[in-house]
């Protein structure tokens, strides 16, 4: 700012000096000099106030990260192009808006541990460097999950081999990133909708204690990392009861669990606010932090009228199921805005119990909900539109900050 002012001073006064020389002997020298002087002052004032207000808008970029920094971390899921900062708009927006990131895919087993003795750490290492560069906390996702497993182990018959992969995987990956990532989703989606254990290769080959064992191994490998259980629909009473039982079992075994992640893939027109509130209260009563880890509010119809975010669920495309391909009508935009507003009111009410709110993606164009559970739809679930512009829902959320 001062540099800019100095520059303009020099231009104006330099101009004046030149005129001074030419007019040195003129009778009207003093009159004109005064005129120039006054003009100079006026120009400087305009520039000064102009620059000051421009600077004000720059330094006052409205940011989720800043607005909620006293209460909880605000995160987003990021993809490879974003980690590598190849996506220019995202490269600017992410560090400005978010204080936490979750890798959308690159720390899943099929990517990071594709063969018995092969680990691909390159992208996860880049992610760690990215977090350091922008002072962004990393929630690593995820150690043990039935989906996105490497091909060679997906159909493993032998229980000992599964156990070996399970143990090696947790030990190797969790210890490498201990102290480098802030937290781990140690186990993802181990429950069915009725609260029983999900039928997966881990349940089948290792038995129902595999969740406790995963946390025990993670605790040994990553003593400096927060350890979480993560799932969708665990705000629903039956599944919530299953999750509470699972967490109590881990605690009863003397194993550390620091938090629970409620994914939060809800529909904008059907948010289970009461269940969410009860869940925050009940989970935090177990002495752990509550996180909302994959928040997005879909606006499209669901083929099964369900909130289950099971990645294996798939349905056929039809134009009827893609009603907003040419833009979101105001009525739905309003619902989305109200949905986010209601949710953040609730989050703020329980800010002492909540550690982080993470959106599943940066902008609408990058959301997995454009391709799940039906490929090729146009969804609008996040706070930034396809051009990275904040949506009315963003403004509504920011306004709630006290
Ligand atoms: C999704 C990713 O967003 C997609 O890119 C990928 O194809 C499938 O997985 N619950 C989870 C996330 O825990 O890991 C899933 O992410 C979405 C549902």
């Amino acid at each position: 700012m001062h540099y800019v002012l100095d520059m303009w001073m020099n231009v104006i006064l330099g101009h004046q000096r030149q005129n001074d020389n030419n007019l040195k002997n003129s009778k009207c020298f003093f009159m004109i000099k005064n005129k120039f002087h006054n003009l100079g002052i006026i120009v400087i004032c305009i520039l000064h106030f102009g620059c000051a207000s421009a600077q004000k808008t720059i330094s006052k970029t409205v940011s989720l990260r800043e607005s909620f920094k006293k209460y909880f971390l605000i995160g987003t899921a990021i993809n490879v192009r974003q980690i590598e900062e190849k996506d220019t708009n995202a490269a600017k927006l992410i560090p400005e808006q978010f204080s936490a990131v979750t890798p959308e895919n690159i720390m899943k087993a099929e990517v990071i541990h594709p063969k018995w003795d092969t680990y691909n750490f390159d992208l996860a290492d880049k992610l760690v460097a990215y977090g350091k560069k922008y002072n962004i906390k990393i929630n690593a996702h995820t150690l043990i999950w039935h989906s996105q497993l490497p091909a060679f182990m997906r159909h493993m018959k032998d229980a000992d081999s599964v156990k070996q992969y399970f143990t090696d995987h947790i030990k190797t990956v969790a210890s490498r990133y201990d102290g480098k990532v802030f937290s781990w989703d140690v186990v993802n989606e181990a429950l069915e909708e009725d609260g029983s254990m999900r039928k997966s290769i881990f349940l089948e080959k290792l038995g129902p204690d595999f969740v406790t064992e995963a946390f025990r191994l993670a605790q040994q490998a990553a003593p400096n990392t927060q350890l979480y259980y993560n799932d969708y629909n665990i705000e629903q009473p039956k599944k919530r009861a299953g999750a509470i039982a699972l967490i109590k079992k881990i605690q009863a075994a003397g194993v550390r669990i620091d938090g629970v992640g409620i994914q939060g893939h809800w529909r904008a027109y059907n948010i289970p606010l009461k269940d969410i509130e009860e869940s925050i209260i009940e989970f935090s009563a177990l002495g752990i932090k509550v996180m909302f880890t994959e928040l997005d509010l879909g606006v499209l119809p669901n083929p099964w009228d369900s909130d289950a975010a099971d990645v294996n669920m798939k349905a056929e495309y039809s134009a009827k199921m893609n009603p907003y391909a040419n833009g979101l009508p105001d009525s739905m935009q309003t619902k989305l805005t109200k949905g986010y507003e209601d949710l953040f009111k609730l989050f703020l009410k329980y800010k002492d119990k909540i550690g982080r709110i993470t959106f599943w993606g940066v902008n609408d164009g990058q959301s997995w909900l454009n391709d799940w559970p039906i490929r090729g739809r146009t969804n609008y679930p996040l706070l930034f539109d396809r051009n990275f512009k904040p949506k009315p829902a963003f403004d509504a959320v920011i306004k709630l900050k006290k």
Side-chain angles (χ1 to χ4, degrees):
M1 179 66 212
H2 283 121
Y3 168 75
V4 176
L5 263 183
D6 285 352
M7 213 176 70
W8 281 102
M9 275 284 217
N10 282 336
V11 171
I12 290 159
L13 295 178
H15 185 62
Q16 232 176 284
R17 267 194 296 275
Q18 206 183 353
N19 279 300
D20 285 358
N21 290 335
N22 297 343
L23 294 167
K24 217 181 254 162
N25 300 319
S26 161
K27 278 185 189 164
C28 55
F29 171 73
F30 278 106
M31 226 177 82
I32 293 177
K33 183 175 170 151
N34 266 344
K35 249 190 186 167
F36 266 108
H37 191 247
N38 291 344
L39 188 69
I41 289 173
I42 292 166
V43 171
I44 288 167
C45 284
I46 293 169
L47 282 169
H48 176 77
F49 289 114
C51 290
S53 72
Q55 203 183 36
K56 217 168 162 187
T57 44
I58 291 164
S59 62
K60 275 212 171 155
T61 299
V62 186
S63 146
L64 294 164
R65 167 181 190 150
E66 271 305 301
S67 298
F68 296 103
K69 74 172 176 209
K70 278 199 273 163
Y71 311 134
F72 28 66
L73 295 168
I74 299 280
T76 180
I78 62 173
N79 60 31
V80 178
R81 279 177 57 77
Q82 292 162 344
I83 293 169
E84 293 182 336
E85 299 189 70
K86 287 188 176 150
D87 188 337
T88 328
N89 289 315
K92 183 171 179 294
L93 189 118
I94 295 167
E96 222 167 63
Q97 294 291 337
F98 301 102
S99 48
V101 291
T102 300
E104 187 172 2
N105 288 301
I106 59 122
M107 290 183 93
K108 290 173 179 172
E110 71 175 358
V111 180
I112 209 165
H113 187 184
K115 298 193 187 117
W116 267 121
D117 291 318
T118 307
Y119 290 88
N120 290 329
F121 291 128
D122 282 7
L123 287 166
D125 288 354
K126 277 188 190 168
L127 177 68
V128 168
Y130 179 88
K132 219 170 175 184
K133 182 168 165 194
Y134 295 111
N135 190 23
I136 289 177
K137 290 204 163 54
I138 294 165
N139 174 62
H141 175 83
T142 169
L143 283 171
I144 297 300
W145 187 30
H146 64 275
S147 191
Q148 293 181 268
L149 287 169
F152 84 96
M153 74 90 50
R154 223 175 290 145
H155 306 291
M156 237 176 223
K157 295 273 171 292
D158 169 37
D160 285 344
S161 302
V162 175
K163 179 127 198 231
Q164 175 96 42
Y165 179 88
F166 176 90
T167 310
D168 289 352
H169 181 73
I170 297 176
K171 278 188 175 167
T172 311
V173 182
S175 64
R176 181 179 179 96
Y177 294 106
D178 188 35
K180 294 185 174 155
V181 301
F182 180 74
S183 51
W184 264 110
D185 292 336
V186 177
V187 177
N188 195 32
E189 302 179 354
L191 294 166
E192 301 280 0
E193 296 306 280
D194 65 359
S196 64
M197 295 295 289
R198 176 190 285 271
K199 284 155 210 66
S200 71
I201 185 169
F202 299 113
L203 179 68
E204 191 192 325
K205 304 292 179 193
L206 308 178
D209 289 345
F210 83 86
V211 177
T212 305
E213 283 319 301
F215 276 84
R216 195 193 305 278
L217 288 165
Q219 173 180 17
Q220 284 157 7
N224 304 302
T225 309
Q226 297 277 296
L227 306 177
Y228 305 149
Y229 175 73
N230 193 55
D231 211 333
Y232 60 82
N233 273 0
I234 46 170
E235 74 283 352
Q236 295 301 320
K238 280 189 189 152
K239 200 165 179 180
R240 186 199 316 159
I244 289 172
L246 203 63
I247 293 163
K248 282 187 169 165
K249 190 171 162 183
I250 298 167
Q251 292 174 326
V255 174
R256 175 166 66 90
I257 172 166
D258 302 293
V260 63
I262 299 173
Q263 290 187 5
H265 297 292
W266 294 304
R267 288 170 289 166
Y269 48 90
N270 187 38
I271 304 171
L273 287 170
K274 184 170 160 283
D275 296 322
I276 298 170
E277 179 159 15
E278 285 170 11
S279 301
I280 298 172
I281 295 167
E282 289 180 24
F283 283 129
S284 58
L286 302 172
I288 57 175
K289 275 273 176 195
V290 179
M291 259 66 59
F292 290 87
T293 54
E294 304 186 13
L295 184 58
D296 46 23
L297 300 181
V299 296
L300 299 179
N302 179 282
W304 310 277
D305 192 30
S306 142
D307 281 316
D310 191 328
V311 285
N312 297 316
M313 291 163 87
K314 284 185 177 72
E316 277 297 304
Y317 180 90
S318 71
K320 195 174 135 240
M321 295 306 270
N322 190 22
Y324 311 131
N326 299 319
L328 193 63
D330 287 348
S331 57
M332 192 48 94
Q333 186 78 267
T334 307
K335 275 191 189 140
L336 180 77
T337 305
K338 170 90 171 46
Y340 271 117
E341 193 178 351
D342 290 346
L343 267 176
F344 270 77
K345 269 189 196 153
L346 194 61
F347 296 157
L348 284 168
K349 181 171 171 193
Y350 292 99
K351 56 185 185 297
D352 56 320
K353 303 187 181 340
I354 295 175
R356 169 169 51 91
I357 313 291
T358 289
F359 296 87
W360 203 244
V362 179
N363 80 10
D364 284 344
Q366 298 160 339
S367 165
W368 76 303
L369 292 180
N370 295 304
D371 288 307
W372 180 90
I374 296 174
R375 288 193 78 82
R377 297 198 294 177
T378 307
N379 213 330
Y380 303 81
L382 298 166
L383 296 189
F384 296 93
D385 72 12
R386 286 169 164 73
N387 298 313
F388 293 90
K389 291 258 161 4
K391 292 157 61 172
F394 173 92
D395 300 332
V397 164
I398 292 280
K399 266 199 205 124
L400 295 175
K401 176 202 107 165
K402 301 204 176 82

